[in-house]
Amino acid sequence: MRTLGAILKHPDDLYPLIKLKVAVMQAEKQIPPEPHWGFCYSMLHKVSRSFALVIQQLDTDLRDAICVFYLVLRALDTVEDDTNIATEVKVPILMAFHRHIYDREWHFACGTKDYKVLMDQFHHVSTAFLELGSSYQKVIEDITMRMGAGMAKFICKEVETTEDYDEYCHYVAGLVGLGLSNLFHASGKEDLAPDSVSNSMGLFLQKVNIIRDYLEDINEIPKSRMFWPRQIWSKYVNKLEDLKYKENSDKAVHCLNDMVTNALMHAEDCLKYMSALRDPAIFRFCAIPQIMAIGTLALCYNNIEVFRGVVKMRRGLTAKVIDRTKSMSDVYGAFFDFSCMLKSKVDDNDLNAKKTKSRLEDILKICRDSGTLNKRKSYILGSEPTFNPTMILIFVVMLAILLAYLSANRGNDM
């Protein structure tokens, strides 16, 4: 019912939602027949459907390399995230993970749900890794080694300063950006991007996730996971967990806005990185998550709900972004729209208002200077209903029939 209500409010989301659902179902039917590759791509769909969809558009060799790269790092992240693993057990595993990927027999029981399956059957990922070209293997091994060492460092170290924050985000996400740039280069499809902008691509996504996931991380059992830097939150409260209490709502929002302002510093580098990409499939692969990130920041800014539950983009808007992101002009348009949306929420009384507006103006200027804003339709903001409710219900019925038909065909194909 929540989805139907959203469609009634934003009827132009309906067509992209249908296209996305069909695309996901088609992608799921393209799972390779080999057991190890079948496991990898099936697992990819389970741990990240949107990522699985954009990765499917890449050429086979690069697609396989990025699929394995993603699953190796998800496995590494699962070890880091599992607060039930004792430090003396966890640290050696993180430090040695780059060697485990060469071992077809290695696995380790940890994580929950799909991530537990990934860890229990990690031998499938190792088998797939060993079939990749040596240039891809070297990149994956190097990034896994560096990331594991960085994660191990922060198991025993808290995020105190903003420099610590940037360092932690570099290890867990900036290195992903560097690894992807090297994989793109190894495929022969892209020039090697500078490390600084590759790093910013990862930091921007990671900082958005850390902001959005505050409540989930702080409520983690048996031990809270705390990634917000003390240098920022200590300006507002005595303990990081104090931000979730209603009596601290005003302080929490000011702290949140401070964190969002910090994340915005990476947006310019992200635009620079994406503007240099040549391959259309690689471009979409990189651009869609970045648009989702700036959109999520716009929703989180000045929003007390970050400390009460989950704040994320509605499914229809996500589908619209995936459907319509095809060129750099689309990226400039989306960054412009979401930056305007965020700027409209800035209260001049906020402690960081001046800095926030300055960073937003820098982003808006880049988008304006691109000369492409007047060539596109603003689909991010101000969606007014253009269909009446009866038409919406007809479309919903048609969608149900279509999905039933596709499901029946999928069953016949098995």
Side-chain angles (χ1 to χ4, degrees):
M1 290 302 293
R2 184 179 299 178
T3 300
L4 178 58
I7 291 173
L8 289 170
K9 188 175 180 181
H10 304 276
D12 56 337
D13 287 354
L14 181 60
Y15 181 59
L17 274 169
I18 294 173
K19 287 185 68 176
L20 178 61
K21 181 63 176 178
V22 172
V24 168
M25 294 179 71
Q26 292 298 325
E28 289 174 347
K29 292 171 67 174
Q30 297 172 8
I31 303 296
E34 300 88 351
H36 52 291
W37 285 112
F39 174 85
C40 288
Y41 279 99
S42 295
M43 187 55 57
L44 191 65
H45 282 281
K46 290 176 181 177
V47 298
S48 179
R49 282 196 169 190
S50 57
F51 185 84
L53 187 62
V54 292
I55 200 178
Q56 291 279 13
Q57 301 171 46
L58 299 170
D59 287 346
T60 304
D61 63 332
L62 182 58
R63 179 173 69 233
D64 288 347
I66 292 179
C67 175
V68 171
F69 183 50
Y70 182 84
L71 291 178
V72 166
L73 299 187
R74 287 305 305 171
L76 185 64
D77 189 56
T78 299
V79 175
E80 186 213 18
D81 283 351
D82 194 329
T83 53
N84 291 300
I85 305 173
T87 298
E88 61 270 20
V89 176
K90 181 181 294 189
V91 169
I93 294 174
L94 294 173
M95 296 292 291
F97 211 91
H98 64 287
R99 293 195 291 272
H100 295 320
I101 60 179
Y102 284 94
D103 184 354
R104 296 177 190 266
E105 303 300 322
W106 187 86
H107 60 90
F108 182 75
C110 67
T112 59
K113 300 179 181 178
D114 291 326
Y115 298 102
K116 184 180 187 307
V117 176
L118 172 63
M119 298 305 299
D120 287 343
Q121 301 186 45
F122 191 77
H123 62 281
H124 287 306
V125 181
S126 298
T127 300
F129 168 78
L130 292 170
E131 291 184 2
L132 298 175
S134 60
S135 59
Y136 292 140
Q137 288 180 349
K138 289 177 182 176
V139 172
I140 295 172
E141 179 187 4
D142 176 61
I143 297 299
T144 304
M145 178 181 68
R146 294 161 67 184
M147 185 179 292
M151 287 177 169
K153 177 179 179 178
F154 276 90
I155 293 296
C156 309
K157 172 184 171 66
E158 290 191 1
V159 180
E160 296 283 348
T161 67
T162 53
E163 288 77 17
D164 291 340
Y165 185 42
D166 285 346
E167 183 183 9
Y168 172 76
C169 290
H170 165 73
Y171 286 133
V172 301
L175 285 173
V176 180
L178 269 66
L180 287 172
S181 292
N182 278 278
L183 291 175
F184 299 156
H185 181 61
S187 74
K189 296 183 181 299
E190 298 289 350
D191 294 331
L192 185 59
D195 284 357
S196 59
V197 292
S198 298
N199 188 56
S200 285
M201 288 283 283
L203 262 64
F204 189 53
L205 297 181
Q206 183 65 20
K207 288 185 176 183
V208 172
N209 289 341
I210 286 174
I211 292 167
R212 182 198 62 199
D213 295 341
Y214 165 83
L215 192 62
E216 177 184 342
D217 289 337
I218 208 70
N219 288 336
E220 182 74 25
I221 296 174
K223 182 182 177 182
S224 295
R225 299 165 62 222
M226 296 184 283
F227 304 116
W228 289 33
R230 181 185 296 271
Q231 184 178 339
I232 290 180
W233 61 256
S234 63
K235 292 186 286 184
Y236 306 96
V237 288
N238 293 323
K239 294 185 291 185
L240 181 57
E241 57 264 34
D242 291 346
L243 294 173
K244 69 180 180 179
Y245 301 124
K246 289 186 178 181
E247 61 266 27
N248 295 321
S249 292
D250 289 343
K251 294 176 181 178
V253 168
H254 284 303
C255 184
L256 169 64
N257 294 347
D258 203 338
M259 290 288 291
V260 171
T261 303
N262 175 278
L264 287 171
M265 75 169 74
H266 306 291
E268 291 182 68
D269 272 353
C270 294
L271 291 171
K272 182 178 180 180
Y273 182 99
M274 289 182 283
S275 67
L277 295 172
R278 300 191 306 257
D279 184 86
I282 290 175
F283 171 79
R284 277 175 50 78
F285 174 83
C286 294
I288 290 170
Q290 297 295 330
I291 292 177
M292 298 290 292
I294 189 71
T296 301
L297 274 189
L299 291 175
C300 288
Y301 185 85
N302 217 38
N303 189 348
I304 191 60
E305 290 305 311
V306 170
F307 304 97
R308 306 286 181 263
V310 180
V311 175
K312 60 181 180 180
M313 290 171 60
R314 68 179 190 273
R315 290 176 61 190
L317 184 51
T318 298
K320 197 180 292 184
V321 169
I322 292 173
D323 181 46
R324 300 186 185 182
T325 303
K326 296 180 173 64
S327 68
M328 198 60 205
S329 64
D330 298 320
V331 173
Y332 286 131
F335 267 67
F336 184 86
D337 284 344
F338 282 127
S339 295
C340 286
M341 176 181 173
L342 202 162
K343 187 179 178 183
S344 71
K345 298 167 70 175
V346 177
D347 186 336
D348 287 337
N349 293 320
D350 186 84
L351 301 176
N352 293 279
K354 186 176 180 180
K355 184 187 292 186
T356 308
K357 286 185 175 181
S358 175
R359 287 184 176 166
L360 289 170
E361 279 301 331
D362 290 340
I363 298 169
L364 293 169
K365 183 178 186 303
I366 292 173
C367 297
R368 290 191 195 98
D369 290 349
S370 71
T372 62
L373 295 182
N374 61 345
K375 299 177 183 178
R376 52 98 209 187
K377 178 184 177 183
S378 179
Y379 62 88
I380 299 293
L381 305 177
S383 174
E384 293 296 329
T386 54
F387 304 141
N388 62 44
T390 302
M391 286 296 296
I392 296 296
L393 290 174
I394 292 173
F395 274 116
V396 171
V397 171
M398 291 173 61
L399 173 60
I401 294 172
L402 174 62
L403 295 181
Y405 171 78
L406 290 172
S407 296
N409 278 355
R410 180 166 57 175
N412 293 334
D413 290 341
M414 293 176 65

